[in-house]
């Protein structure tokens, strides 16, 4: 199996709903909101900042029900029509309130969970299905033998087969470990990395953002050092942050091909793989050619 094909399939699948552009109060709304539920992971993958405790230590901090409820209410207020992704800076299934979180947020929109699968079980999968999880994406790091394990688990859990998406991630450094390898905004150097500066434009802040366990909003999941918060949803609304000066300045610069502020100036990710329709509408609004 070619690891690049898995990446292409994932991008194609996401583009089907990410690249739709809902408008609210005259501006494009986000279609991808990622939540970092818990700041701990049971694995230390070499291509992830969690491998270095000096860069991304496990703090065991976790998102509270109060913040989840606030996210729920605020997304309803902006008539959110995208996807909520549970992933971020830790392993989401380690959060003990995962079923409550999925059930609550599924009232707003589709909820996807990205997991390494280590703590996934038949019972957990059944509970996630009952809680109305849309997809469970399992990143398999140990080898092809995991395919049979998770297929059998899906059958025994009596959940729809297409609810579980298995992603091959067991490759070596010569195949980028089977992931879309980046330096995570300057925190990872392993593998064949693109040079910083190769990519200038970036569409991330035109269609998505990440909410950390404490309610802080960040540009994207590349920002593992949490360089610059766009705001906090317990102090401002999601709409205020989305339209606010900080995020607007980043959006304008990145649409103009200027990675001139942290964390962007140390990032080597190609940020134009998704969000082209959002980017086009924002360029019209900002009068950017």
């Amino acid at each position: 199996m070619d690891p690049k094909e898995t990446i292409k399939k994932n991008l194609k699948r996401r583009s089907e709903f990410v690249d739709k552009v809902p408008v609210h109060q005259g501006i494009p709304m986000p279609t991808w909101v990622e939540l970092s539920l818990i700041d701990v992971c049971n694995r230390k993958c070499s291509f992830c900042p969690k491998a270095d405790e000096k860069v991304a230590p496990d703090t065991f901090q976790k998102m509270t029900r109060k913040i989840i409820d606030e996210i729920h209410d605020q997304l309803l207020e902006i008539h959110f029509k995208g996807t909520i992704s549970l992933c971020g800076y830790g392993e989401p299934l380690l959060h003990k309130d995962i079923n409550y979180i999925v059930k609550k947020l599924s009232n707003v929109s589709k909820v996807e969970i990205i997991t390494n699968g280590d703590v996934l079980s038949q019972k957990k999968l059944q509970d996630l299905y009952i809680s109305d999880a849309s997809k469970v994406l399992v990143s398999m790091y140990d080898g092809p033998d995991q395919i049979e394990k998770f297929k059998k688990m899906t059958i025994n859990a009596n959940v729809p087969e297409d609810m579980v998406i298995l992603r091959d991630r067991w490759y070596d450094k010569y195949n980028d470990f089977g992931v879309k390898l980046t330096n995570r905004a300057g925190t990872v150097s392993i593998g064949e990395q693109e040079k910083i500066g190769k990519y200038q434009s970036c569409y991330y802040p035109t269609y998505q953002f990440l909410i950390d366990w404490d309610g802080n909003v960040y540009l994207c999941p590349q920002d593992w050092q949490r360089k610059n918060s766009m705001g906090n949803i317990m102090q401002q609304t999601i709409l205020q942050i989305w339209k606010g000066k900080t995020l607007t300045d980043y959006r304008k610069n990145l649409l103009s091909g200027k990675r001139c502020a942290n964390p962007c100036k140390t990032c080597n990710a190609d940020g134009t793989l998704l969000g082209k329709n959002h980017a086009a509408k924002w360029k019209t609004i900002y009068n950017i050619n």
Side-chain angles (χ1 to χ4, degrees):
M1 189 181 301
D2 183 354
K4 292 183 179 179
E5 286 303 311
T6 301
I7 295 170
K8 288 179 182 178
K9 286 181 181 180
N10 187 50
L11 288 172
K12 182 179 180 181
R13 184 187 67 85
R14 285 181 57 183
S15 69
E16 293 177 0
F17 45 87
V18 165
D19 287 336
K20 295 178 181 178
V21 189
V23 175
H24 180 64
Q25 295 188 6
I27 62 172
M29 287 288 102
T31 48
W32 188 266
V33 173
E34 184 165 341
L35 305 187
S36 186
L37 300 182
I38 189 166
D39 192 23
V40 62
C41 186
N42 59 297
R43 288 194 176 231
K44 297 292 179 282
C45 302
S46 58
F47 55 84
C48 174
K50 279 291 184 188
D52 188 345
E53 293 185 357
K54 294 179 181 178
V55 174
D58 289 334
T59 67
F60 297 87
Q61 301 280 10
K62 61 181 180 180
M63 194 173 283
T64 63
R65 288 193 178 194
K66 183 177 181 179
I67 292 180
I68 289 295
D69 292 348
E70 192 65 34
I71 292 171
H72 167 275
D73 294 347
Q74 291 188 27
L75 288 178
L76 281 180
E77 286 176 5
I78 64 173
H79 308 291
F80 181 72
K81 294 180 173 63
T83 296
I84 301 168
S85 173
L86 307 184
C87 184
Y89 307 125
E91 166 53 52
L93 293 187
L94 294 178
H95 199 300
K96 296 188 183 302
D97 273 343
I98 188 66
N99 294 325
Y100 172 87
I101 292 167
V102 173
K103 187 64 178 178
K104 183 77 177 184
L105 296 178
S106 65
N107 182 52
V108 177
S109 190
K110 293 184 296 185
V111 178
E112 293 192 357
I113 302 159
I114 300 176
T115 174
N116 59 37
D118 288 351
V119 296
L120 190 63
S121 64
Q122 179 180 324
K123 176 65 164 57
K124 279 185 178 292
L125 197 51
Q126 288 174 331
D127 288 343
L128 292 173
Y129 175 63
I130 293 171
S131 299
D132 292 328
S134 172
K135 299 289 183 185
V136 177
L137 288 78
V138 182
S139 297
M140 301 177 295
Y141 296 114
D142 296 337
D145 57 303
Q146 289 186 289
I147 296 175
E148 184 62 27
K149 170 189 172 181
F150 289 113
K151 282 188 174 181
K152 184 177 180 180
M153 184 185 297
T154 302
I155 293 172
N156 290 340
N158 196 28
V159 303
E161 183 180 350
D162 63 355
M163 175 186 169
V164 180
I165 297 178
L166 303 181
R167 307 195 295 179
D168 47 318
R169 295 287 189 266
W170 54 74
Y171 300 94
D172 57 25
K173 64 181 180 181
Y174 302 106
N175 289 286
D176 294 342
F177 306 97
V179 301
K180 187 66 180 176
L181 190 63
T182 73
N183 69 354
R184 300 297 194 272
T187 61
V188 175
S189 59
I190 194 170
E192 293 291 330
Q193 293 277 353
E194 299 283 9
K195 291 184 178 180
I196 295 172
K198 177 179 180 179
Y199 303 114
Q200 292 298 320
S201 294
C202 181
Y203 302 160
Y204 274 123
T206 69
Y207 71 92
Q208 65 95 66
F209 55 84
L210 180 148
I211 304 178
D212 205 0
W213 65 269
D214 57 358
N216 276 330
V217 174
Y218 295 98
L219 278 173
C220 71
Q222 303 293 337
D223 184 13
W224 275 78
Q225 291 186 322
R226 283 91 150 179
K227 288 284 188 181
N228 195 353
S229 171
M230 304 296 105
N232 188 289
I233 66 159
M234 303 305 285
Q235 299 165 355
Q236 298 172 280
T237 67
I238 286 174
L239 184 59
Q240 287 172 332
I241 295 171
W242 186 245
K243 298 193 304 181
K245 185 179 185 307
T246 303
L247 189 47
T248 296
D249 287 346
Y250 272 95
R251 190 182 293 126
K252 285 181 176 179
N253 282 332
L254 291 171
L255 284 174
S256 300
K258 300 175 183 177
R259 298 196 182 193
C260 52
N262 283 323
C264 307
K265 65 182 181 181
T266 58
C267 179
N268 68 353
D270 182 357
T272 63
L273 298 174
L274 293 168
K276 60 182 179 180
N277 294 338
H278 284 77
K281 288 190 177 293
W282 280 113
K283 283 183 177 180
T284 299
I285 292 172
Y286 296 145
N287 197 25
I288 296 173
N289 295 322

